[in-house]
C-alpha cells in the first residue's frame, strides 16, 4: 500500500542496494571467479558450472534494475485498478 512517492523512495534505495551489489560483484566475485579459472576449474569436472557462473553473474544487476523499474511503473496502475474494482462492488 505504497503511495507513489513512497514507491519512488523505496525504488531509489533499492537501486542504491543494486549498485552496491554491482560493486561487490566487481570487487569480490569476479576475482574469485578468475582465481577459479587459474586453479583449473575450467578443465575439471566443474567446468560447466564455472562457465555458467561467469556468464550469469553480470546479468543479476540488469535483471534487478528492470524489475525495480517495472515495479515503479506497474504498481500504481494495479492500485488504481484495484480501487476501481472496489468501487464497483459497493
Amino acid at each position: 500500500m505504497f503511495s507513489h512517492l513512497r514507491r519512488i523512495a523505496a525504488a531509489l534505495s533499492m537501486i542504491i542496494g543494486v549498485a552496491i551489489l554491482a560493486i561487490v560483484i566487481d570487487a569480490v566475485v569476479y576475482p574469485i571467479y578468475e582465481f577459479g579459472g587459474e586453479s583449473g576449474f575450467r578443465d575439471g569436472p566443474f567446468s560447466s558450472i564455472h562457465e555458467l557462473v561467469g556468464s550469469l553473474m553480470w546479468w543479476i544487476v540488469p535483471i534487478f534494475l528492470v524489475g525495480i523499474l517495472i515495479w515503479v511503473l506497474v504498481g500504481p496502475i494495479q492500485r488504481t485498478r484495484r480501487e476501481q474494482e472496489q468501487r464497483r462492488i459497493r
Side-chain angles (χ1 to χ4, degrees):
M1 298 288 186
F2 287 101
S3 70
H4 196 59
L5 291 177
R6 286 185 192 169
R7 188 179 308 271
I8 291 173
L12 289 176
S13 66
M14 285 186 259
I15 289 172
I16 291 171
V18 171
I20 292 171
L21 175 66
I23 291 170
V24 168
I25 288 173
D26 189 45
V28 177
V29 176
Y30 186 70
I32 291 173
Y33 171 76
E34 286 297 316
F35 178 73
E38 294 169 2
S39 299
F41 279 132
R42 290 185 183 150
D43 301 328
F46 298 107
S47 63
S48 62
I49 296 173
H50 188 264
E51 292 172 10
L52 182 67
V53 168
S55 62
L56 290 181
M57 75 175 148
W58 299 112
W59 283 96
I60 295 170
V61 174
I63 289 172
F64 279 157
L65 291 176
V66 168
I68 292 168
L69 180 66
I70 290 172
W71 179 67
V72 168
L73 295 176
V74 174
I77 296 169
Q78 289 178 343
R79 183 176 180 196
T80 304
R81 287 182 182 171
R82 185 174 50 244
E83 289 174 355
Q84 288 175 353
E85 288 178 12
Q86 289 176 353
R87 288 182 193 147
R88 287 183 207 158
I89 294 173
R90 292 180 187 172

